[in-house]
Amino acid sequence: QVQLVDSGGGLVQAGGSLRLSCAASGRPFSIYGMGWFRQAPGKDREFVAAISWNGFSTDYTDSVKGRFTISRDNAQNTVYLQMNSLKLEDTAVYYCAAKRFGSGSRYDDYDYRGQGTQVTVSS
């Protein structure tokens, strides 16, 4: 079992920055691919970013490329999502997730999920 705790959300003005964290406990963190997903009110959950177990490979949805950066610190059992130049449409609950084999953009393929952290971008 892996337990994931998301944090770092909050209220920020458009153009601002936030850094989300996802702390993992349980099985060795370093073997898991990690992903970030988000769900806005009235919308389906969508993929945001993913990172391989060793951090060498990353992937982003087009709408956040150049603005968001996913990273991980396996020594600290933590994955991060640095979000810059935030837009109103980035408002959502953000969830991290862990995948035992590889990583990817499908939420249902992930084995463990955090509880979510709210990000609200205001004008």
Side-chain angles (χ1 to χ4, degrees):
Q1 286 284 344
V2 173
Q3 292 79 42
L4 303 174
V5 178
D6 307 321
S7 63
L11 175 64
V12 63
Q13 285 192 322
S17 298
L18 280 175
R19 188 176 79 157
L20 306 183
S21 299
C22 174
S25 60
R27 290 181 179 269
F29 175 71
S30 60
I31 68 174
Y32 291 88
M34 300 295 295
W36 284 98
F37 297 81
R38 66 186 180 187
Q39 187 166 20
K43 294 188 176 181
D44 292 335
R45 184 176 287 113
E46 66 170 343
F47 168 74
V48 177
I51 189 167
S52 61
W53 68 272
N54 56 10
F56 289 173
S57 178
T58 59
D59 189 24
Y60 300 90
T61 192
D62 286 346
S63 63
V64 308
K65 285 180 180 176
R67 300 189 298 122
F68 292 10
T69 302
I70 189 170
S71 62
R72 65 188 297 160
D73 183 341
N74 286 348
Q76 298 295 323
N77 291 350
T78 303
V79 64
Y80 303 98
L81 185 68
Q82 177 67 43
M83 305 186 296
N84 298 329
S85 302
L86 282 161
K87 303 177 180 180
L88 296 178
E89 52 265 40
D90 294 319
T91 295
V93 178
Y94 284 69
Y95 302 86
C96 73
K99 189 172 184 292
R100 281 173 289 185
F101 302 107
S103 60
S105 61
R106 285 170 46 88
Y107 186 74
D108 289 344
D109 289 344
Y110 282 73
D111 302 292
Y112 305 100
R113 302 165 184 88
Q115 82 287 355
T117 184
Q118 176 71 48
V119 172
T120 303
V121 184
S122 65
S123 58

